[in-house]
Amino acid sequence: MIERARVKLSPWQQAAVAVGSAVGALLDPRRADLIAALGETTGKPAFERVLERMKRNSEGRAVLLERPRVISAKVGHAWDLPENTFGAAYARFMGSRNFSPDDRPPVRFMDTEELAYVAMRAREVHDFWHTLFGLPTNLIGESALKVIEFEQMYLPMCMLSVVGGTVRFNEKQRTLFFQHYFPWAVKAGLRCTDLMCVYYERHFHEDLEDVRRKWGIIPAPTAAK
């Protein structure tokens, strides 16, 4: 599936796609396809570093070997788990927003199948991170999560998204973000485990607070709810 979606780009084509995607995403931040294209065309070195970290980690290696996908056919059982579990918390997060795990755009601009999978995995675990950190999906919540994603993966797109998000804040939102969300996100992103090396699906049945403690997750401050 990932292989069929991939497109080979020359260096100048890659630069053109990156610039066009950046401009388009700033004009319309709801365009997930443009944000995805920006992440891929500017993020190859970052994804290569993530790949090497995953290869050095036992759970990360299992993810690379089995290549789990966060799609309805694979994670649907989360909706049937006890309500205290991580899986049930993820199901509530998705259901309360009428989100589908099948809505993520495909990876198109990675050089290799292995890097394409890492990029897809980063995209698909995004909602797991929302669940673990207790962040909403509004502009402030997404910007705060992008700070954590940058600290975890050093993707240029994440920092660009934070800059673009803060530009669209009103004065109240800007004050709230920089007084509460940003300092928390910096601390949370540095303290937690290497989140790209976690095989989340194997932990669906575990208590949400237990996995937060195990992975060093600091939930978002009350102001972020």
Side-chain angles (χ1 to χ4, degrees):
M1 181 185 300
I2 295 176
E3 179 66 36
R4 290 197 298 271
R6 282 168 46 211
V7 177
K8 296 288 186 180
L9 296 179
S10 66
W12 72 265
Q13 287 175 321
Q14 193 169 30
V17 171
V19 172
S21 299
V23 172
L26 284 173
L27 293 174
D28 186 357
R30 295 168 297 181
R31 287 288 302 275
D33 58 330
L34 295 179
I35 294 171
L38 178 61
E40 293 170 37
T41 52
T42 62
K44 180 183 174 183
F47 286 128
E48 288 175 335
R49 290 190 294 268
V50 171
L51 174 61
E52 291 307 310
R53 296 203 315 262
M54 293 175 75
K55 288 179 176 179
R56 294 194 297 268
N57 179 281
S58 59
E59 198 162 331
R61 286 194 300 272
V63 171
L64 291 174
L65 177 64
E66 300 180 19
R67 296 191 179 184
R69 295 294 310 279
V70 185
I71 56 178
S72 296
K74 301 295 184 181
V75 300
H77 65 285
W79 273 252
D80 300 321
L81 292 171
E83 72 174 71
N84 66 303
T85 62
F86 167 46
Y90 164 71
R92 285 194 298 274
F93 171 85
M94 298 293 283
S96 65
R97 293 162 174 82
N98 200 29
F99 287 174
S100 168
D102 303 323
D103 289 341
R104 299 288 177 189
V107 172
R108 294 180 293 163
F109 305 122
M110 286 289 106
D111 292 343
T112 68
E113 179 74 5
E114 201 167 37
L115 281 178
Y117 176 74
V118 172
M120 178 59 74
R121 183 67 174 173
R123 192 171 297 166
E124 291 184 342
V125 300
H126 178 85
D127 291 322
F128 291 158
W129 295 14
H130 265 292
T131 302
L132 289 167
F133 288 103
L135 278 168
T137 54
N138 56 26
L139 184 57
I140 292 181
E142 292 290 355
S143 297
L145 190 54
K146 282 290 181 281
V147 174
I148 294 174
E149 290 179 339
F150 178 78
E151 292 185 317
Q152 286 281 311
M153 294 181 282
Y154 295 107
L155 282 169
M157 175 272 295
C158 295
M159 190 52 63
L160 290 171
S161 295
V162 173
V163 173
T166 55
V167 167
R168 295 191 297 274
F169 288 161
N170 59 37
E171 183 177 351
K172 181 179 180 181
Q173 290 173 319
R174 189 171 293 109
T175 299
L176 184 62
F177 181 77
F178 284 109
Q179 287 187 355
H180 297 281
Y181 292 83
F182 186 78
W184 162 79
V186 170
K187 180 180 179 181
L190 291 173
R191 174 176 165 177
C192 63
T193 191
D194 189 341
L195 295 175
M196 283 297 294
C197 291
V198 175
Y199 201 143
Y200 296 95
E201 297 87 338
R202 290 183 175 179
H203 301 277
F204 270 8
H205 65 285
E206 298 178 32
D207 183 86
L208 175 62
E209 296 307 319
D210 287 346
V211 296
R212 280 174 168 165
R213 284 190 291 270
K214 178 164 56 178
W215 298 330
I217 301 293
I218 307 173
T222 303
K225 299 300 181 71

